């Protein structure tokens, strides 16, 4: 099947061009050296073990190992692809929707994704919010009663230790109008050993906490990820998944079906399938929206409803995320999963008054 030879075992996180080459995961090149100098690299053991050494097109390696293709930028790509900067009133906080904010307590991740929409910023250990910067971010939330949800993202908030996470939970709990928190993370996939009983207890110590896991390929759920997700689910933490649609990784109905089925078995509800953002140097990883819609159409007929995420685009410039189809309504009719159109009074609907 997948592995022609036994997986390579790495005990340490690979962080340099030389380490990737030595592990058989990249070929030495000037492009690799340049990318290693200018972008963050981390391939932790749990993910390195899932890659097939020597195969550049391995779907796991494609996500995390630099490719010379990244030196090719296209005109539509931009440095701040989703417009975080324009909506950041306080350092580390993004406020774009009326009822929820993002807080980015740390910009470090357990693994760095080559298509990351914050690629130019992640990996900076000095960007971790200080106590006074956290005070300012939480004061912003406390002053705005409309804010009901704090989404901790980054970077990866689960890179903070249990004590720091408990501090975030306590700060959220001290604001009466904050009803829930959400943690966006790759940790259960990339460094499942970090999901300890202490970490789970810290997550549960504040307002109800949801955990959103970033996972793109079914192979990421083999290994230790399953047990880490089970520890979270057994603690009663609702789990959702965000997947980025990536060319050569998961732009295939069979791969997405296997991923979403594995997620619901792990008690994780597929939430969003993200069309990739216009990050500079990622055109080799971006399918077209039409291809994404065709994949969603193919899944509709063959997969349980609870395994179907919403396909979304984060509009460049900061206008927000919107579903991008496919659209099942046609003029005066509705299409079924086989593409057959059935008459329905779409335009007329019911009374409008
Ligand atoms: C994605 C995002 C959210 C969360 O959006 P949901 O649709 O609730 O998942 C919140 N704020 C910002 C700025 C975002 O980019
Ligand atoms: S884990 Fe998230 S924030 Fe970190 S590099 Fe990947 S996409 Fe970016």
């Amino acid at each position: 099947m997948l592995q022609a030879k036994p997986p390579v075992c790495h005990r340490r996180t690979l962080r340099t061009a030389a380490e990737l080459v030595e592990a058989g995961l990249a070929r030495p090149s000037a492009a690799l050296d340049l990318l290693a100098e200018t972008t963050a690299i981390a391939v932790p053991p749990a993910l390195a073990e899932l890659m097939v050494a020597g195969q550049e097109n391995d779907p796991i390696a494609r996500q995390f190992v630099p490719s010379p293709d990244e030196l090719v930028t296209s005109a539509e790509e931009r440095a701040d692809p989703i417009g975080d900067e324009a909506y950041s009133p306080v350092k580390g906080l993004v406020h774009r929707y009326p009822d929820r904010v993002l807080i980015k307590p740390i910009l470090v991740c357990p693994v760095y994704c080559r298509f990351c929409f914050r690629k130019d910023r992640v990996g900076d250990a000095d960007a971790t919010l200080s106590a006074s910067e956290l005070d300012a971010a939480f004061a912003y939330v406390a002053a705005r009663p409309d804010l009901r949800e704090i989404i901790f993202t980054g970077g990866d908030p689960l890179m903070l230790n249990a004590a720091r996470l408990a501090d975030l939970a306590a700060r959220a709990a001290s604001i009466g109008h904050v009803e829930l928190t959400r943690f966006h993370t790759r940790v259960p996939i990339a460094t499942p050993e970090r999901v300890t009983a202490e970490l789970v207890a810290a997550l549960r110590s504040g307002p109800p906490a949801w955990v959103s896991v970033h996972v793109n390929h079914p192979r990421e759920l083999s290994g230790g990820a399953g047990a880490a997700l089970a520890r979270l689910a057994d603690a009663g933490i609702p789990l959702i998944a965000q997947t980025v649609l990536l060319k050569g990784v998961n732009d295939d109905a069979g791969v997405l079906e296997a991923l979403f089925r594995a997620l619901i078995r792990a008690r994780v509800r597929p939430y969003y399938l993200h069309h990739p953002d216009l990050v500079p140097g990622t055109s080799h990883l971006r399918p077209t929206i039409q291809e994404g819609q065709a994949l969603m159409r193919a899944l509709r007929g063959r997969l349980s409803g609870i395994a179907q995420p919403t396909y979304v685009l984060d509009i460049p410039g900061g206008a927000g995320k919107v579903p991008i189809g496919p659209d099942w309504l046609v003029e005066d009719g509705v299409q079924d999963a086989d593409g057959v159109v059935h008459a329905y009074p779409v335009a007329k609907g019911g009374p409008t008054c």
Side-chain angles (χ1 to χ4, degrees), residues 109 111-113 115-117 122 154-156 186 214:
C109 300
V111 61
Y112 294 102
C113 311
F115 49 87
C116 176
F117 55 107
V122 289
D156 193 319
R186 266 281 204 188
H214 173 181

Side-chain angles (χ1 to χ4, degrees), residues 94 96-97 100 102 151 182 271-272 314 321:
V94 184
R96 186 206 268 163
Y97 299 113
R100 56 207 191 278
L102 303 183
I151 300 168
R182 209 198 297 177
Y271 172 49
Y272 280 157
D314 211 331
K321 292 183 194 71

Side-chain angles (χ1 to χ4, degrees), residues 36-85:
E37 272 165 35
T38 51
T39 62
I41 295 176
V43 180
L47 288 174
E49 284 162 18
L50 299 180
M51 298 178 188
V52 183
Q55 285 192 17
E56 276 164 39
N57 285 328
D58 176 81
I60 311 299
R62 256 177 101 71
Q63 296 181 65
F64 311 117
V65 175
S67 155
D69 292 339
E70 292 171 46
L71 299 179
V72 180
T73 52
S74 64
E76 75 270 16
E77 296 173 338
R78 29 169 109 198
D80 182 16
I82 62 169
D84 268 359
E85 298 298 321

Side-chain angles (χ1 to χ4, degrees), residues 91-111:
K91 185 176 174 190
L93 181 147
V94 184
H95 184 189
R96 186 206 268 163
Y97 299 113
D99 68 336
R100 56 207 191 278
V101 285
L102 303 183
I103 292 183
K104 299 178 276 185
I106 186 169
L107 286 186
V108 171
C109 300
V111 61

